[in-house]
Amino acid sequence: MKKSKELTARAAWRRRAKALRRAGMAIAVTFLLAIVGWYFLAGTTEHGQPVQMTEVAPNLTLDTINGDKLVLSQHRDEHNVLLFFNEGIGCGGCWDQIVDLEADWIRLQGLDVELVSIMVDSLPELKAEAEDRGITGIVASDPDKSASEKYQALEASMHPGAKPGHTFVLVNKYGRIIWRWDWAGHGNPMYMEVDEVFDNVSRELERAGNKGL
């Protein structure tokens, strides 16, 4: 009788242990699926935290060197916008970035993307530099740094708090931020190869699809 009770107790213990193992595995699988799902519902940033696709892009209203007003919300439902916050005057790599992007922009036009370069310098300074370099795209001035602050572009910079560094923010046509890249500092060039920009933009637009998440 005693042996029978011991066998019964061992069998019950084995059943409980098996159930606990199954529960643990179920929790682990659920957690893994949640992580994978979150990854595919987020844009990514090379040197920062992933950007949730549910993040609504703050609206911007800025003067441009062409005498127009840039109102970001007016681009909604029209096309995607690649915001390029940079140091502006005095940063050769920043201007080279714009020139090189414009030279190869036909690929990004195919993705229905508009480039908007944003600096804190004055309009006359920006206009003169843009004309000297043959830049024809949208160049906007952010003199009070309000736009740069909204997009947290003043942190990864050689002049933190004073000028943006080198930050790309991709806003899809539904007004959502789906990708971001910030200059890493520490000797890294303030420049991203055009092929790399195109690869990131095309990947994140494909990932987001035509959903206004």
Side-chain angles (χ1 to χ4, degrees):
M1 179 66 71
K2 183 177 180 181
K3 187 174 182 180
S4 177
K5 288 182 178 180
E6 288 177 353
L7 290 174
T8 300
R10 289 178 183 175
W13 180 85
R14 284 196 294 269
R15 285 195 297 271
R16 286 195 298 271
K18 190 174 182 179
L20 288 172
R21 284 197 299 272
R22 285 178 176 173
M25 288 181 66
I27 292 172
V29 169
T30 300
F31 179 75
L32 179 60
L33 289 174
I35 291 295
V36 172
W38 174 82
Y39 175 79
F40 282 103
L41 285 175
T44 56
T45 171
E46 181 95 358
H47 305 299
Q49 296 300 315
V51 177
Q52 292 292 338
M53 274 179 51
T54 53
E55 183 178 347
V56 177
N59 191 32
L60 301 177
T61 301
L62 298 171
D63 292 320
T64 73
I65 61 173
N66 295 326
D68 302 321
K69 284 280 188 184
L70 165 70
V71 182
L72 183 60
S73 60
Q74 291 180 353
H75 291 258
R76 185 164 181 169
D77 298 324
E78 295 295 326
H79 43 246
N80 310 293
V81 179
L82 181 61
L83 302 175
F84 175 39
F85 293 89
N86 63 88
E87 287 197 355
I89 302 299
C91 177
C94 302
W95 291 99
D96 290 344
Q97 182 83 81
I98 302 170
V99 170
D100 292 348
L101 283 170
E102 285 197 356
D104 201 20
W105 196 252
I106 190 168
R107 286 194 295 166
L108 287 153
Q109 276 186 327
L111 299 174
D112 197 13
V113 176
E114 183 85 51
L115 175 66
V116 175
S117 301
I118 302 172
M119 302 92 149
V120 300
D121 305 290
S122 70
L123 285 171
E125 291 176 298
L126 296 177
K127 184 177 177 66
E129 186 75 21
E131 289 178 348
D132 184 59
R133 291 175 175 266
I135 292 170
T136 60
I138 301 174
V139 176
S141 176
D142 178 29
D144 64 358
K145 298 178 279 192
S146 60
S148 301
E149 289 172 352
K150 284 182 181 178
Y151 281 83
Q152 299 178 345
L154 295 170
E155 299 170 12
S157 170
M158 293 179 67
H159 311 281
K163 282 190 170 187
H166 206 89
T167 292
F168 286 109
V169 179
L170 178 61
V171 180
N172 70 3
K173 62 179 61 179
Y174 303 101
R176 308 286 177 171
I177 297 174
I178 61 172
W179 175 67
R180 179 190 181 99
W181 182 91
D182 293 290
W183 174 64
H186 307 296
N188 291 288
M190 299 188 89
Y191 184 90
M192 177 183 274
E193 295 295 334
V194 176
D195 286 343
E196 190 175 353
V197 174
F198 175 79
D199 289 345
N200 277 284
V201 169
S202 58
R203 182 189 66 239
E204 297 307 328
L205 286 173
E206 182 178 2
R207 177 183 292 176
N210 57 359
K211 300 175 182 177
L213 297 180

